[in-house]
Amino acid sequence: AARAMAAWARAVRGLLLDVSGVLYDSGGDGGVPIAGSVEAVRRIKASGLKLRFCTNETQATREKFVKKLQGLGFDISVAEVTAPAPAACRILKERSLRPHLLVHNDLVPEFSEIDKTNPNCVVIGDAAENFTYANLNEAFRVLIGMEKPVLISLGRGRYYKETDGLKLDVGAYMKALEYACDVQAEVVGKPSKMFFESALAEMGVPPEQAIMIGDDIESDVGGAQRCGMRALQVRTGKYRPCDENHPHVKPDAYVNNLAEAVDIILQQL
C-alpha cells in the first residue's frame, strides 16, 4: 500500500530515461540489458506516457547507438533520442564555430556537415581510447593559441560503468583542458538546462509533469531537478551507496531499477 501512495509519481505525462546504467550496461561486447528494462520500456510505450531517451552517449552516432539497443531488444528509435552531438552541431552552426574534434572515431560522422578547417574551438566528447597524451596535447595547443579559447564539452560525467568496471568519462579530460588553458568549458548534454529543456520541448510536456530516471546523481538527478522536474535515481549502473549521502542532490526517490519505477508510476495513472 505504501508504494501505491508514492507522492512523487503523481500527475506524470512524460518520462525521460537515461540509457547507460538504466537500460543497459555498456561494454566492449556491446553490453548487457539491465534486468526488466526491455519490458519496462515496452510498458511505458503501451501506457501512452510520452517518452524521451536522454543520453550523454558520445562514443557512437545516434544511428549506431540505437541499432545496438534495438539488438538488445529495446523498442527505441533515433527520433526518440536526445543526445549531445546534434545539440553541439546546432551551436557550432549558430556561432560560426569550426571545431577541432577530440571525440571517439565512431562519433565523427555526426559532425559531417560542419566545417572543421582552421579550427576556432575545441569539441571534446567521450573519446575513450582516443584520450592519448598526444591527442589531448593537440587539443590543448589549439585552445592555448586562441585569444578567447572556446571549449565545448559533450557532457561532464566523471565516470560510467561498463560490464568490466568503471571507466573515466569526458568530464575528467574536460577539467584537464580547463585547468591547462584557464578556460571554462560550455557543457552540451546533461546536466545543462538547455539539454533537458529541448527534451521536454520534443515531448511537449512541462517540467512539472515529467520525471527523469537516471543512475548519475549529479548529471541526471541534479540536472533534471534544477529544471523543475522530479528525478529518480536507480540503484543500477554506476550507482554507489555513497550517492545516498550526496551533499547537495536529493533524488525524489530511489528505486532498485527502472522496472520498479515504472511499476509505481503506472499504478498512479
Side-chain angles (χ1 to χ4, degrees), residues 58-238:
T58 56
Q59 280 195 20
T61 60
R62 281 170 306 158
E63 283 72 15
K64 223 171 147 173
F65 178 58
V66 162
K67 266 207 179 68
K68 176 172 77 177
L69 291 167
Q70 289 169 341
L72 294 175
F74 289 99
D75 177 4
I76 178 174
S77 68
V78 173
E80 298 171 308
V81 175
T82 306
C89 286
R90 277 202 301 276
I91 289 170
L92 294 168
K93 282 183 175 148
E94 277 164 19
R95 287 162 53 186
S96 307
L97 290 170
R98 301 179 304 279
H100 169 86
L101 297 177
L102 177 49
V103 299
H104 199 284
N105 296 346
D106 292 343
L107 190 72
V108 173
E110 289 270 18
F111 295 90
S112 59
E113 308 286 292
I114 301 285
D115 180 6
K116 294 176 278 294
T117 54
N118 187 20
N120 57 4
C121 75
V122 167
V123 171
I124 185 174
D126 178 13
E129 310 296 321
N130 270 358
F131 279 133
T132 60
Y133 175 76
N135 287 349
L136 272 165
N137 202 51
E138 197 185 350
F140 158 73
R141 284 176 168 173
V142 171
L143 285 171
I144 205 78
M146 288 176 198
E147 207 174 314
K148 287 210 175 101
V150 176
L151 173 60
I152 293 173
S153 186
L154 307 179
R156 52 171 306 156
R158 292 173 168 172
Y159 53 86
Y160 53 91
K161 181 169 180 246
E162 290 210 324
T163 45
D164 61 348
L166 298 177
K167 301 280 166 98
L168 272 177
D169 201 354
V170 61
Y173 299 95
M174 173 195 94
K175 286 287 181 194
L177 290 175
E178 281 187 335
Y179 178 63
C181 303
D182 196 18
V183 60
Q184 185 116 42
E186 301 175 43
V187 177
V188 179
K190 299 175 293 189
S192 115
K193 212 167 173 170
M194 223 167 72
F195 191 72
F196 284 113
E197 284 168 353
S198 67
L200 288 167
E202 283 155 6
M203 290 197 297
V205 171
E208 57 281 2
Q209 295 183 347
I211 294 180
M212 172 77 201
I213 303 174
D215 68 327
D216 186 316
I217 184 97
E218 290 180 4
S219 287
D220 296 331
V221 177
Q225 287 177 334
R226 280 196 300 278
C227 285
M229 277 187 261
R230 286 161 275 176
L232 312 184
Q233 189 177 19
V234 287
R235 294 189 178 101
T236 57
K238 70 170 119 175

Side-chain angles (χ1 to χ4, degrees), residues 17-19 21-25 32-34 37 41 53 69 74 258:
L17 304 186
D18 174 39
V19 177
V22 174
L23 300 189
Y24 84 124
D25 283 320
V32 294
I34 290 167
S37 288
V41 170
F53 300 93
L69 291 167
F74 289 99
L258 176 62

